[in-house]
């Protein structure tokens, strides 16, 4: 019993001892760990030890293991594990399940927990410690080498300067740590070059570069990280040395050629602005095309002012106040004229003696208070600048262009157009006996710039509209309330001054009956051309614009391509174009879109000066660039001359004489054809020939004049005339000058119109005035004689019926031997009289008749000589051969001319003198022996030289 009791006590004591696992294991609350990249053992700080207060009890005081839990990210625990190195001491070890990569994840965080062995071998009643946080950092290994961002670096620098940085190279390292991922330094591998590189990769030059010595520098650079790993591949650097940078326009071409008919061409196709890296915020360029030396300021239609008005659709009825001098318009004969490149007539006024007094008959045709006054004006003439500093209120210093007093029914109205300094004024007095005058005033720079300007003044009182170069200007109304005497109620119209002495001496209006005794005031100094007045309704604006419109000028190619912030402006005459912008690239593209256009097929050749002025605005105004003005010129080449060809009319027109004596005459050019063509070279290489040939293409054209001129003596109004359809001319707006020396038809019209008009030209003779021939010449021109056609010569033959040549004598019988025996009456040898309803072109009938007469004359002379000799022999036999009597037969017998055509001439009423001489006395002498013969001897007593002629 005692032994059993002892054994029970021992078992009770052991059981009491095993139930002593009363404490939890203890570990630190936080651990910092380091693990090398490509390794798995983590070095913790502090070391991993788990303590248990139940020690040294077996099991209860021992640490059986550690458990790893997820960290904040929830994934790091998977990569790590913790193991127990010594159960009694509680030492542990943290390690990764696989090698770690710093580049993929540099830091890891998780929690760890220790647990003891419990109360027995089975681990029953095991206790766990609190959770401790473990931070593991993966230490980097220098496993990567630097890599350059680009394999090739390029830069351009101007020569002669040292730069702080020309180009910057850059390399990157894939390592995760600052020690191995940073590039510690760069190095230039190519020796003996004037460049250095710093640790940041900036390359600069060590000496000024010279583009002439070496234009391009090429070298290699490398990079090292802080672990002294070298770059895998080196980088190439190319530095181009530019010549010294000079701010300005690059690509300027001083000479630009333009071929007429090319439409629009760019003036500056490769022009661009170089600012040498200077920052600018506003650019303005002004392109000027100078055409002041061409006509009236630019290339316009080369037609007369009247023709241009017709082409522009202006209302007819204008009166030319300065027409070309002629017997019908002699009031401009005393005015000096100047040559003009266009068709207009330019008159010069000197301010004193040069005045044009328009006749009252012309002034009366333009009365009324509704009218349109148009003119071309160039103030100051060619070399004289008009004064601009006249004093106010001095009316004598005003220069009057037009001064007119006209009669309107029972009243008189007065107006005057004047210039004063840079002001244009219209002084209008609707009724000089009742209403007050009104002065319309415009301040215009165009009045005093000594350039040609077109003025159109439309008066529809009280409304007045002024167009200067096609642009409308509004006036300032000034009611002149001063003491101004009324103009004398007398019709006057003066160009270049005003009548009377400032209207103060009214007696001068009443007493002076002619312009030679009159005095003028306010003389105009300058040039005038195309001064016209049209009474009635005012001219439409579209017509005014057409009259002034230039056919050449500056333009912008495509407004849709204009960049943002760009502005373009062109003046009305299209001689000045302004570009403005803030971006250099957009500005360069816009400059290259500036074009020159000329819509004339036959543009005026010559030189047009060009100017390009540029102004820049910079943020630093003191150091802003200043560009010089560029000057060049545009050359308009000589256009291909058109060939105006007249055809369809033969060299001869033979018709019976009675047709010319009809009431309508005979048309001279019934089948006339006018063709205008342009010749151009064509390469015939396609046909196997390397040469060039000229080809002509017919073009639609406009003629402005044709002339029909009789050759030889002028037309005799009593015997012959040329007839033209005047209704057709008036309907088409053409003008005609019909004299005995020529007929001139003028006016710009199409070829078809001129063909119709010329085909209606007829030649008519008076009864009994038919001659043997008459020659005419036809020619046409374009652009007022600039291009002329060929001269078409027509010989008109008057065919006389042979029935009138019949005479019952041996003379006519002898004449018949020269006629073909098979021809009937009315036919000549080799020629047949034409059908009277058709135009026939045959050799001259006068030539045939002359040949017949000459042949017959030779026969008659031979017969006469034989007859004289026989008479002489009979006389010698009767008188015994007396020598004195033989002297009675002198040379007079040899001057006898037999005229076989006398009967024909007497019937047709044609004078024997075919050159149109006056009637001469004739003496008829019969042959002394043969009175029965029908031969007659006609002796002309007076010839052109005053001596007797014998025929």
């Amino acid at each position: 019993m005692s032994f059993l009791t002892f054994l029970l006590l021992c078992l009770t004591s052991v059981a009491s001892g095993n139930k002593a696992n009363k404490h939890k294991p203890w570990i630190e609350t936080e651990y910092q760990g380091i693990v090398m990249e490509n390794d798995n053992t983590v070095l913790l700080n502090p070391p991993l030890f788990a303590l248990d207060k139940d020690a040294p009890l077996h099991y209860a005081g021992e640490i059986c293991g550690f458990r790893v839990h997820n960290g904040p990210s929830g994934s790091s625990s998977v990569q790590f594990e913790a193991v127990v190195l010594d159960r009694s001491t509680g030492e542990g070890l943290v390690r990764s399940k696989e090698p770690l990569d710093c580049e993929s994840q540099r830091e890891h965080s998780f929690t760890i927990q220790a647990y003891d062995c419990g109360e027995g071998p089975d681990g029953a009643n095991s206790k766990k410690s609190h959770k401790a946080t473990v931070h593991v950092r993966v230490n980097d290994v220098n496993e990567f080498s630097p890599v350059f961002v680009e394999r090739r670096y390029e830069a351009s620098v101007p020569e002669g300067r040292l730069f702080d940085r020309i180009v910057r190279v850059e390399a990157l390292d894939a390592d995760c740590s600052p020690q191995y991922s940073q590039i510690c330094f760069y190095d230039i591998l190519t020796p003996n070059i004037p460049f250095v590189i710093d640790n940041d990769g900036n390359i600069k030059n060590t000496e000024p570069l010279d583009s002439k010595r070496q234009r391009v520098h090429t070298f290699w650079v490398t990079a090292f990280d802080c672990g002294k790993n070298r770059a895998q591949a080196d980088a190439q650097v190319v530095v181009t040395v530019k010549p010294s940078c000079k701010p300005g326009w690059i690509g300027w071409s001083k000479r630009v050629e333009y071929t007429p008919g090319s439409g629009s061409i760019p003036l500056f196709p490769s022009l661009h602005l170089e600012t040498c890296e200077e920052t600018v915020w506003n650019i303005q360029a002004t392109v000027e095309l100078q055409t002041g030396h061409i006509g009236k300021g630019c290339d316009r239609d080369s037609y007369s002012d009247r023709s241009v008005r017709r082409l522009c659709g202006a209302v007819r009825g204008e009166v030319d106040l300065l027409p070309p001098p002629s017997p019908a318009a002699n009031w401009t004969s005393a005015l000096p004229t100047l040559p003009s490149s266009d068709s207009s007539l330019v008159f010069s006024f000197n301010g004193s003696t040069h005045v044009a007094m328009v006749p009252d008959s012309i002034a009366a045709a333009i009365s009324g208070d509704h009218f349109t006054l148009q003119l071309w004006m160039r103030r100051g003439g060619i070399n004289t600048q008009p004064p601009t500093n006249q004093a106010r209120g001095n009316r004598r210093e005003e220069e009057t262009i037009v001064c007119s007093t006209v009669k309107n029914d029972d009243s008189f109205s007065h107006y005057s157009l004047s210039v004063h300094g840079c002001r244009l004024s219209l002084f209008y007095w609707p009724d000089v006996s009742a209403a007050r005058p009104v002065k319309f005033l415009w301040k215009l720079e165009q009045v005093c710039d000594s350039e040609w300007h077109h003025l159109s003044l439309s008066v529809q009182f009280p409304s007045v509209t002024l167009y200067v170069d096609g642009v409308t200007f509004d006036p300032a109304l000034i009611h002149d309330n001063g003491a101004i005497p009324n103009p004398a109620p007398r019709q006057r119209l003066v160009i270049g001054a005003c009548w009377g002495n400032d209207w103060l001496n009214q007696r001068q209006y009443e007493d002076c009956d002619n312009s030679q005794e009159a005095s003028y005031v306010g003389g105009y100094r300058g040039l005038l051309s195309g001064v016209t007045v049209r009474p009635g309704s005012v001219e439409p604006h579209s017509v005014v614009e057409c009259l002034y419109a230039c056919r050449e000028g500056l333009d912008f190619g495509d407004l849709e391509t204009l960049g943002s912030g760009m502005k373009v402006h062109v003046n009305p005459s299209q001689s000045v174009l302004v570009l403005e912008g803030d971006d250099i690239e957009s500005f360069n593209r816009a400059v290259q879109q500036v074009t020159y256009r000329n819509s004339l097929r036959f543009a005026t050749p010559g030189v047009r000066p060009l100017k390009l002025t540029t102004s820049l605005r910079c943020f630093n105004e003191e150091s802003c660039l200043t560009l010089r003005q560029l000057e060049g010129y545009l050359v308009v080449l000589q256009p291909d001359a058109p060939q105006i060809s007249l055809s369809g009319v033969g060299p001869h027109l033979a018709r019976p004489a009675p047709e010319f004596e009809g009431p309508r005459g005979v048309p001279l050019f019934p089948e006339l054809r006018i063709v205008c063509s342009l010749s151009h070279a064509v390469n015939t290489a396609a046909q196997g020939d390397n040469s060039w040939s000229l080809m002509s293409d017919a073009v639609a054209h406009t003629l402005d004049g044709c002339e029909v001129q009789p050759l030889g003596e002028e037309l005799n109004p009593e015997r012959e005339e040329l007839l033209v359809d005047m209704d057709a001319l008036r309907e088409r707006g053409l003008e005609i000058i019909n004299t005995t020396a020529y007929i001139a038809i003028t006016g710009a019209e199409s070829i078809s119109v001129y063909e119709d008009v010329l085909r209606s030209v007829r030649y008519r003779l008076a009864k009994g005035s038919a001659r043997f021939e008459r020659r005419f010449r036809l020619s046409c021109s374009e652009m007022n004689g600039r291009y002329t056609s060929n001269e078409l010569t027509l010989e008109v033959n008057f065919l006389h019926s042979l029935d009138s040549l019949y005479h019952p004598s041996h003379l006519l019988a002898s004449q018949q031997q020269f006629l073909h025996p098979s021809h009937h009456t009315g036919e000549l040898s080799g020629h047949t009289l034409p059908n009277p309803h058709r135009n026939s072109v045959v050799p001259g009938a006068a030539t045939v008749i002359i040949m017949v007469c000459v042949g017959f004359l030779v026969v008659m002379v031979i017969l006469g000589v034989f007859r004289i000799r026989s008479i002489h022999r009979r006389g010698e036999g009767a008188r015994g051969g007396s020598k004195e009597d033989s002297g009675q037969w002198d040379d007079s017998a040899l001057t006898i001319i037999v005229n076989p055509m006398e009967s024909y001439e007497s019937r047709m009423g044609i004078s024997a003198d075919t050159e149109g001489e006056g009637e001469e006395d004739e003496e008829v002498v019969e042959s002394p022996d043969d009175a029965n013969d029908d031969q007659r001897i006609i002796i002309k007593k007076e010839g052109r030289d005053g001596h007797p002629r014998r025929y």
Side-chain angles (χ1 to χ4, degrees):
M1 288 295 294
S2 299
F3 176 74
L4 292 174
T5 303
F6 177 76
L7 180 62
L8 182 62
L9 290 173
C10 290
L11 292 173
T12 305
S13 113
V14 171
S16 302
N18 289 337
K19 293 181 180 179
N21 190 11
K22 299 180 181 179
H23 300 90
K24 298 178 180 180
W26 177 90
I27 58 176
E28 298 286 341
T29 59
E30 186 175 7
Y31 294 89
Q32 300 291 334
I34 298 176
V35 61
M36 296 302 295
E37 191 178 21
N38 299 325
D39 195 4
N40 58 359
T41 301
V42 179
L43 299 178
L44 292 180
N45 184 22
L48 179 61
F49 282 94
L51 300 178
D52 195 328
K53 291 183 178 181
D54 293 328
L57 293 178
H58 189 57
Y59 296 114
E62 296 177 350
I63 303 300
C64 281
F66 295 92
R67 293 180 181 176
V68 177
H69 300 278
N70 292 337
S73 61
S75 60
S76 297
S77 62
V78 179
Q79 301 181 11
F80 294 90
E81 64 179 358
V83 296
V84 177
L85 298 179
D86 189 349
R87 298 177 62 177
S88 60
T89 61
E91 182 182 2
L93 174 67
V94 177
R95 60 187 179 188
S96 62
K97 297 179 181 180
E98 57 185 14
L100 300 178
D101 187 3
C102 176
E103 286 72 33
S104 62
Q105 187 172 352
R106 187 177 180 182
E107 294 184 353
H108 300 268
S109 297
F110 54 92
T111 59
I112 188 172
Q113 189 178 30
Y115 59 93
D116 57 17
C117 294
E119 297 180 353
D122 55 356
N125 197 22
S126 174
K127 293 186 180 294
K128 300 176 182 179
S129 68
H130 63 274
K131 293 181 179 180
T133 303
V134 180
H135 298 283
V136 178
R137 185 181 66 195
V138 182
N139 279 354
D140 187 22
V141 176
N142 193 10
E143 57 181 336
F144 293 101
S145 298
V147 177
F148 282 98
V149 176
E150 297 181 14
R151 296 297 303 275
R152 178 185 175 92
Y153 294 87
E154 296 183 1
S156 298
V157 293
E159 63 180 356
R161 292 174 55 187
L162 291 174
F163 298 90
D164 295 333
R165 185 178 72 176
I166 295 177
V167 65
R168 182 179 182 272
V169 298
E170 183 180 7
L172 301 177
D173 196 303
D175 290 316
C176 64
S177 65
Q179 178 182 2
Y180 300 129
S181 64
Q182 292 183 0
I183 306 299
C184 280
F185 64 95
Y186 295 87
D187 190 19
I188 296 178
L189 302 178
T190 305
N192 303 323
I193 59 172
F195 299 94
V196 294
I197 188 170
D198 60 15
N199 292 338
D200 294 329
N202 297 315
I203 299 176
K204 64 180 180 179
N205 56 326
T206 58
E207 62 183 38
L209 304 178
D210 188 355
S211 62
K212 297 180 181 179
R213 186 172 61 183
Q214 185 172 353
R215 182 69 182 275
V216 179
H217 295 268
T218 303
F219 52 94
W220 295 87
V221 297
T222 189
F224 293 88
D225 61 15
C226 295
K228 296 185 179 181
N229 275 358
R230 181 178 169 176
Q232 293 180 355
D234 301 327
Q236 185 183 38
V237 180
V238 178
V239 178
T240 302
V241 183
K242 298 186 298 183
S244 300
C245 180
K246 296 180 180 179
W249 291 102
I250 299 176
W252 170 262
S253 180
K254 189 174 183 180
R255 175 188 173 96
V256 181
E257 291 187 354
Y258 178 79
T259 302
S262 302
S264 298
I265 63 168
L267 291 176
F268 321 112
S270 59
L271 190 65
H272 63 278
L273 181 62
E274 175 61 57
T275 59
C276 295
E277 300 182 357
E278 181 71 26
T279 303
V280 297
W281 64 273
N282 183 266
I283 313 170
Q284 182 172 321
T286 303
V287 184
E288 297 181 57
L289 178 68
Q290 300 179 16
T291 57
H293 61 289
I294 302 173
K296 298 186 181 71
C298 65
D299 212 350
R300 294 184 172 87
D301 283 322
S302 300
Y303 300 105
S304 64
D305 292 335
R306 188 178 296 272
S307 296
V308 172
R309 288 183 59 82
R310 290 189 60 255
L311 295 175
C312 290
V315 181
R316 301 177 185 177
E318 73 277 359
V319 177
D320 194 353
L321 301 184
L322 289 179
S326 64
N330 58 358
W331 66 90
T332 60
S333 58
L335 296 177
T337 59
L338 297 179
S340 176
S341 60
D342 56 12
S343 61
S344 60
L345 192 61
V346 177
F347 294 91
S348 176
F349 294 83
N350 61 0
S352 56
T353 59
H354 298 163
V355 177
M357 186 71 184
V358 182
D360 293 344
S361 59
I362 303 297
I366 52 177
S367 60
D369 56 357
H370 289 188
F371 61 90
T372 299
L373 173 65
Q374 299 193 39
L375 56 95
W376 284 94
M377 179 186 71
R378 183 176 181 180
R379 183 90 177 280
I382 298 179
N383 299 319
T384 304
Q385 180 70 22
T388 59
N389 57 351
Q390 292 119 329
R392 289 187 177 180
N394 191 351
R395 193 178 298 274
R396 292 181 180 273
E397 295 182 357
E398 289 189 355
E399 301 178 22
T400 304
I401 301 175
V402 179
C403 186
S404 174
T405 302
V406 296
K407 185 177 182 180
N408 302 320
D409 299 330
D410 297 332
S411 63
F412 285 84
S413 63
H414 176 86
Y415 73 87
S416 62
L417 182 66
S418 306
V419 289
H420 183 197
C422 291
R423 291 175 172 83
L424 179 73
S425 62
L426 174 67
F427 190 80
Y428 191 78
W429 213 323
D431 189 352
V432 298
S433 62
R436 297 298 301 168
V438 179
K439 191 172 187 179
F440 301 87
L441 186 66
W442 296 267
K443 186 176 181 180
L444 304 169
E445 294 296 332
Q446 293 89 335
V447 176
C448 55
D449 61 359
S450 292
E451 299 292 340
W452 277 108
H453 296 285
H454 181 261
L455 273 64
S456 178
L457 193 68
S458 296
V459 178
Q460 196 169 7
F461 192 79
S463 174
V464 176
T465 304
L466 174 66
Y467 298 96
V468 179
D469 298 338
V471 179
T472 309
F473 290 87
D474 296 327
L477 299 181
I478 298 178
H479 293 269
D480 209 333
N481 297 322
I484 301 177
N486 296 0
R490 184 168 184 178
Q491 191 160 267
R492 294 290 186 186
L493 178 55
V494 183
I495 308 297
C498 199
W499 179 270
N501 187 9
D502 206 11
W503 302 314
L504 296 179
N505 189 0
Q506 299 188 29
R507 186 185 301 273
Q508 196 171 27
Y509 283 96
E510 302 170 358
D511 297 342
C512 297
D513 294 333
N514 56 71
S515 60
Q516 300 297 330
E517 301 176 0
S519 63
Y520 299 96
V521 295
Y524 171 74
R525 296 178 179 88
L527 305 178
L528 293 177
S529 178
V531 182
T532 62
V533 175
R534 185 182 60 79
S537 59
V538 299
E539 205 75 83
H541 187 197
S542 59
V543 174
V544 177
E545 287 182 338
C546 177
L547 293 175
Y548 172 74
C550 293
R551 305 304 180 191
E552 67 172 345
L554 300 174
D555 202 352
F556 194 81
D558 187 4
L559 291 175
E560 295 182 358
T561 62
L562 197 63
S564 61
M566 291 294 304
K567 299 178 182 178
V568 60
H569 173 74
V570 184
N571 68 335
S573 62
Q574 294 187 302
S575 61
V576 178
L577 185 144
V578 180
L579 283 174
E580 185 176 358
D582 52 9
D583 181 67
I584 295 180
E585 295 299 328
S586 299
F587 197 87
N588 288 336
R589 290 193 297 268
V591 168
Q592 296 172 5
Q593 291 288 327
V594 177
T595 61
Y596 167 80
R597 58 128 190 98
N598 196 319
S599 60
L600 288 182
R601 184 191 296 271
F602 308 106
T604 303
V607 176
R608 277 81 161 161
L610 269 176
K611 290 183 181 180
L612 177 61
T613 307
T614 311
S615 62
L616 303 176
R617 300 184 67 182
C618 309
F619 293 101
N620 186 1
E621 295 293 341
E622 296 180 357
S623 61
C624 196
L625 302 177
T626 302
L627 304 182
R628 65 182 181 88
Q629 178 177 279
L630 298 180
E631 296 184 358
Y633 54 92
L634 172 76
V635 180
V636 178
L637 303 178
Q638 184 73 34
D640 294 332
Q643 289 82 40
I644 306 173
S645 175
L646 308 181
S647 61
V649 177
H652 298 277
L653 174 63
R655 300 290 294 272
E659 292 190 16
F660 291 93
E661 298 172 356
R664 292 179 52 83
V666 174
L668 294 179
F669 317 106
E671 299 178 0
L672 176 66
R673 186 182 178 209
I674 305 177
V675 176
C676 180
S677 60
L678 286 177
S679 299
H680 57 276
V682 176
N683 191 356
T684 58
Q687 288 79 19
D689 188 3
N690 294 327
S691 61
W692 292 73
S693 62
L694 289 179
M695 300 292 292
S696 295
D697 295 332
V699 295
H701 208 49
T702 301
L703 301 180
D704 62 3
C706 287
E707 182 179 282
V708 180
Q709 179 184 4
L711 299 179
E713 60 186 25
E714 297 183 1
L715 296 177
N716 188 342
E718 298 179 356
R719 298 188 307 171
E720 53 188 344
E721 62 178 340
L722 289 174
L723 304 177
V724 183
D725 189 352
M726 299 302 297
D727 294 336
L729 289 178
R730 283 191 293 267
E731 180 182 354
R732 293 173 169 87
L734 300 178
E735 298 179 359
I736 184 172
I737 301 176
N738 195 346
T739 66
T740 58
Y742 64 91
I743 286 183
I745 302 172
T746 59
E749 261 299 349
S750 63
I751 287 180
S752 60
V753 171
Y754 269 93
E755 283 181 339
D756 294 341
V757 172
L758 292 175
R759 288 170 182 171
S760 67
V761 175
R762 296 174 173 269
Y763 179 52
R764 189 172 69 86
L765 294 173
K767 289 291 185 180
S769 300
R771 311 191 324 172
F772 289 106
E773 65 178 21
R774 162 64 87 176
R775 300 176 66 205
F776 294 94
R777 180 173 60 198
L778 172 64
S779 62
C780 295
S781 65
E782 211 278 318
M783 293 187 181
N784 294 279
R786 180 176 173 184
Y787 303 112
T788 58
S789 69
N790 60 310
E791 294 183 350
L792 192 63
T793 303
L794 176 66
E795 180 179 306
V796 179
N797 301 126
F798 309 96
L799 300 182
H800 304 275
S801 175
L802 292 182
D803 293 338
S804 62
L805 301 180
Y806 179 79
H807 193 279
S809 65
H810 70 277
L811 176 62
L812 185 59
S814 301
Q815 184 179 351
Q816 296 298 326
Q817 63 180 332
F818 294 98
L819 300 178
H820 197 283
S822 63
H823 288 182
H824 301 284
T825 302
E827 297 181 356
L828 297 178
S829 177
H831 300 277
T832 304
L833 291 179
N835 190 319
H837 300 287
R838 295 181 57 188
N839 293 335
S840 301
V841 180
V842 298
T847 304
V848 177
I849 297 175
I850 290 174
M851 293 176 61
V852 173
C853 294
V854 171
F856 187 74
L857 177 62
V858 173
V859 175
M860 293 299 100
V861 170
I862 294 175
L863 293 178
V865 170
F866 282 108
R867 183 174 296 178
I868 291 171
R869 288 184 178 181
S870 62
I871 294 173
H872 182 63
R873 293 191 191 98
R874 289 195 297 269
E876 286 180 349
R879 296 177 178 81
S882 176
K883 294 181 179 181
E884 290 80 9
D885 294 340
S886 64
Q888 296 176 357
W889 298 96
D890 55 10
D891 294 339
S892 62
L894 300 177
T895 61
I896 298 174
I897 297 177
V898 178
N899 186 1
M901 301 298 297
E902 179 196 11
S903 61
Y904 169 76
E905 293 173 359
S906 61
R907 294 184 183 183
M908 299 302 297
I910 301 177
S911 174
D913 184 7
T914 61
E915 295 300 325
E917 297 178 355
E919 295 294 334
E920 298 177 345
D921 295 333
E922 300 178 354
E923 183 179 350
V924 181
V925 181
E926 294 183 358
S927 177
D929 292 315
D930 199 357
N932 294 327
D933 292 340
D934 291 329
Q935 300 177 10
R936 297 185 179 181
I937 302 172
I938 302 175
I939 301 177
K940 296 287 185 178
K941 293 186 177 181
E942 291 184 2
R944 292 187 178 182
D945 53 3
H947 301 286
R949 293 184 181 178
R950 295 182 177 88
Y951 295 88

